[in-house]
Amino acid sequence: MQPYASQQPLLDVQDLRVRFHTPEGTVFAVNGVSFHIREGEAVAVVGESGSGKSVTMMSILGLIPIPPGEIGSGTAVFLDRDLLQLSDRQLEQVRGREIGMIFQDPMTSLNPVLTLGRQLTEALMRHLDLKPEIAQKRAVELLELVGISDAANRLSSYPHQFSGGMRQRVMIAMMLACNPKLLIADEPTTALDVTIQAQIVELALDIREKLQMAVIWITHDLGVVAGVADRVLVMYGGTIVEEADVDGLYDNPQHPYTLALLAALPRVDQRRESRLKAIPGAPPNLIVEPVGCPFAPRCEFVLPRCREERPPLEPLSPTQKVACFVNPHTGEER
């Protein structure tokens, strides 16, 4: 990966807590998440479904419904502004223009009754105040940038006339329209077949290199992470349990959950008869406010204190942090 351009945080999130009030009870979706991303850096956020990855990013951009959602505490400082304190109108100016977001399913993100040209030029005219003919020209350039041939004629097409991979390329073009400083990709390859997934990942890497923008890549697939990120945040039960640079995460994972995820990953150097290791137990029930380590019920190294105290995310080295009382390689308390 390319080294990032600046050491100053572009986005700095501290102690973010998000909950949802439902008829069944309060869901404690995000519980004290803190992280940062620098200009030009790529950070992957990894974890199974329900770990809080998407809710964290959507709450920063004001995209969770309030109610039933509620941001209990925290700050999200982006370019010297706390996004959590901005009004809806102010956030509308940030979304798309300064921070872009690509969602999992492009078919539900694109308006089915508007042409792709209309949807692309609308953002350009709104955020950059371009005249229609200039916006049209820029829309063609964007479609060409993401690898769509005959771009000028495709502007009159509707979303249903494109394949899933092509629609995802259009979504990427829309998010790049205003040259944002940060792009958040929320599992953008989940709904695509393996061949198209590889093309979208390669496209994202190429565009990041050309435009030198920061990227947050949300995924549950550790196999993708090595190719797209400089640094990795591992989430479980609404918390970050490990943070490391990519090499450190694969070479020296320090949290039992990270170890379990890596053990469940198919490897080309494994013997054919080798069985993948499943993580025993079930994900935490976040309707109950977490006490102690959220991974404790499924952890083979659990100590009595793990069920009573929440381990803080503490540095082990300049490039690695972990929230665990135990060294999983020795089984001994840290």
Side-chain angles (χ1 to χ4, degrees), residues 85 159 176 331:
Q85 300 301 319
L176 297 176

Side-chain angles (χ1 to χ4, degrees), residues 71 155 257 261 290:
I71 297 177
L155 287 179
Y257 180 58
L261 286 178

Side-chain angles (χ1 to χ4, degrees), residues 177-236:
C178 301
N179 294 321
K181 292 184 177 293
L182 173 62
L183 181 66
I184 300 173
D186 186 1
E187 304 203 45
T189 62
T190 296
L192 308 176
D193 64 53
V194 176
T195 305
I196 304 302
Q197 283 183 24
Q199 293 177 6
I200 296 298
V201 169
E202 186 176 348
L203 172 64
L205 290 173
D206 183 51
I207 288 173
R208 180 203 164 197
E209 177 113 9
K210 287 179 180 177
L211 303 183
Q212 291 296 301
M213 63 182 173
V215 176
I216 296 176
W217 191 285
I218 302 171
T219 183
H220 61 270
D221 186 357
L222 270 173
V224 171
V225 168
V228 301
D230 303 309
R231 193 157 47 89
V232 185
L233 308 177
V234 181
M235 289 192 69
Y236 185 84

Side-chain angles (χ1 to χ4, degrees), residues 42-310:
V43 173
V45 184
V46 181
E48 60 194 67
S49 296
S51 61
K53 308 182 301 295
S54 298
V55 171
T56 295
M57 302 308 161
M58 292 179 71
S59 61
I60 288 170
L61 290 176
L63 294 175
I64 63 168
I66 299 177
E70 177 192 3
I71 297 177
S73 68
T75 59
V77 177
F78 176 77
L79 295 178
D80 299 324
R81 293 164 295 170
D82 185 356
L83 299 179
L84 302 183
Q85 300 301 319
L86 299 184
S87 66
D88 289 342
R89 182 178 293 274
Q90 289 171 320
L91 278 173
E92 286 177 5
Q93 297 303 311
V94 172
R95 293 193 293 258
R97 182 167 189 169
E98 298 179 77
I99 302 177
M101 189 162 184
I102 306 169
F103 297 95
Q104 291 185 29
D105 185 359
M107 195 60 193
T108 58
S109 302
L110 293 167
N111 191 322
V113 300
L114 298 179
T115 65
L116 299 177
R118 168 76 182 275
Q119 295 181 64
L120 271 166
T121 55
E122 184 177 29
L124 291 164
M125 291 187 290
R126 178 181 183 130
H127 289 302
L128 301 182
D129 200 26
L130 298 182
K131 293 181 179 179
E133 59 272 18
I134 303 298
Q136 189 93 351
K137 183 178 178 181
R138 173 64 175 154
V140 172
E141 293 172 352
L142 287 165
L143 290 184
E144 291 173 344
L145 178 65
V146 297
I148 293 179
S149 58
D150 195 21
N153 290 325
R154 302 310 292 269
L155 287 179
S156 59
S157 300
Y158 289 86
H160 73 271
Q161 296 174 298
F162 277 53
S163 66
M166 295 287 274
R167 287 195 293 266
Q168 198 60 284
R169 288 173 183 266
V170 172
M171 280 300 303
I172 293 173
M174 291 178 69
M175 292 306 101
L176 297 176
C178 301
N179 294 321
K181 292 184 177 293
L182 173 62
L183 181 66
I184 300 173
D186 186 1
E187 304 203 45
T189 62
T190 296
L192 308 176
D193 64 53
V194 176
T195 305
I196 304 302
Q197 283 183 24
Q199 293 177 6
I200 296 298
V201 169
E202 186 176 348
L203 172 64
L205 290 173
D206 183 51
I207 288 173
R208 180 203 164 197
E209 177 113 9
K210 287 179 180 177
L211 303 183
Q212 291 296 301
M213 63 182 173
V215 176
I216 296 176
W217 191 285
I218 302 171
T219 183
H220 61 270
D221 186 357
L222 270 173
V224 171
V225 168
V228 301
D230 303 309
R231 193 157 47 89
V232 185
L233 308 177
V234 181
M235 289 192 69
Y236 185 84
T239 66
I240 294 174
V241 296
E242 184 164 2
E243 175 182 337
D245 65 303
V246 168
D247 291 340
L249 188 87
Y250 285 93
D251 295 341
N252 189 30
Q254 288 294 317
H255 196 279
Y257 180 58
T258 311
L259 279 170
L261 286 178
L262 289 169
L265 187 67
R267 295 169 58 107
V268 294
D269 57 351
Q270 282 180 330
R271 297 173 60 184
R272 182 175 295 180
E273 60 269 22
S274 297
R275 295 178 64 87
L276 297 176
K277 292 185 179 180
I279 303 175
N285 178 10
L286 294 178
I287 277 186
V288 179
E289 186 168 9
V291 176
C293 175
F295 192 61
R298 306 173 75 181
C299 181
E300 60 181 297
F301 306 101
V302 65
L303 300 173
R305 68 182 296 199
C306 299
R307 303 184 188 278
E308 301 169 0
E309 301 175 45
R310 177 178 160 186

